[in-house]
Amino acid sequence: MDEKGMSENKQYENEYKVQAVKLAKKIGAVNAANELQIPVNTLYGWIRKVKIESLDIGCGERSPEESLNIAEENQQLRKRIKALEKENKRLSEMNEFLEDAAAFFAASRQKSGKNKG
């Protein structure tokens, strides 16, 4: 790649990716990659980044299905967090109980040891 191409690429890189992904949504990834003369795997990488939200294409560009999937996933994650918090609380209480029990038994062992001696 010549120097001019590299500097242009850096300047427009994010916007270029965004536009490429939008084009891929309209005409398909393979067609878009051919049209833009970029490797299709590069384009798939950008599409994947949009899905994991490390490349933002703007909320208005999400399809209703994608938005629904994100909402469903958020709901499931909230349930999972709630369940994990409940389990965490249970384990903390169990841990406290076991610490108290260990302290009790250690103290009673000391007492019985003193009585024998």
Side-chain angles (χ1 to χ4, degrees):
M1 195 182 284
D2 64 331
E3 296 229 7
K4 184 175 180 262
M6 283 180 78
S7 63
E8 275 180 33
N9 224 7
K10 281 198 188 271
Q11 196 176 355
Y12 301 108
E13 193 174 351
N14 213 44
E15 185 59 25
Y16 185 82
K17 289 177 184 180
V18 169
Q19 294 305 324
V21 170
K22 287 179 184 179
L23 183 63
K25 283 185 173 224
K26 285 189 181 109
I27 65 172
V30 175
N31 291 338
N34 289 338
E35 185 138 331
L36 298 169
Q37 297 179 337
I38 58 172
V40 72
N41 285 341
T42 302
L43 187 51
Y44 282 138
W46 297 344
I47 293 167
R48 195 166 35 252
K49 282 184 176 181
V50 167
K51 282 185 182 158
I52 61 170
E53 296 179 9
S54 69
L55 177 63
D56 187 17
I57 59 169
C59 226
E61 293 300 323
R62 286 205 183 96
S63 69
E65 294 81 18
E66 285 173 316
S67 296
L68 188 64
N69 287 342
I70 290 168
E72 281 175 12
E73 188 177 0
N74 282 344
Q75 192 176 12
Q76 287 172 355
L77 290 171
R78 280 194 200 98
K79 280 183 189 173
R80 181 93 176 107
I81 288 169
K82 215 172 200 171
L84 289 170
E85 284 172 343
K86 191 175 176 182
E87 178 68 357
N88 197 22
K89 185 175 187 246
R90 189 186 71 79
L91 291 172
S92 291
E93 288 168 358
M94 176 77 73
N95 198 29
E96 268 180 50
F97 168 79
L98 291 173
E99 284 174 2
D100 291 347
F104 171 80
F105 288 118
S108 63
R109 253 187 254 119
Q110 281 182 335
K111 282 182 193 167
S112 64
K114 285 179 184 170
N115 291 345
K116 285 181 185 170

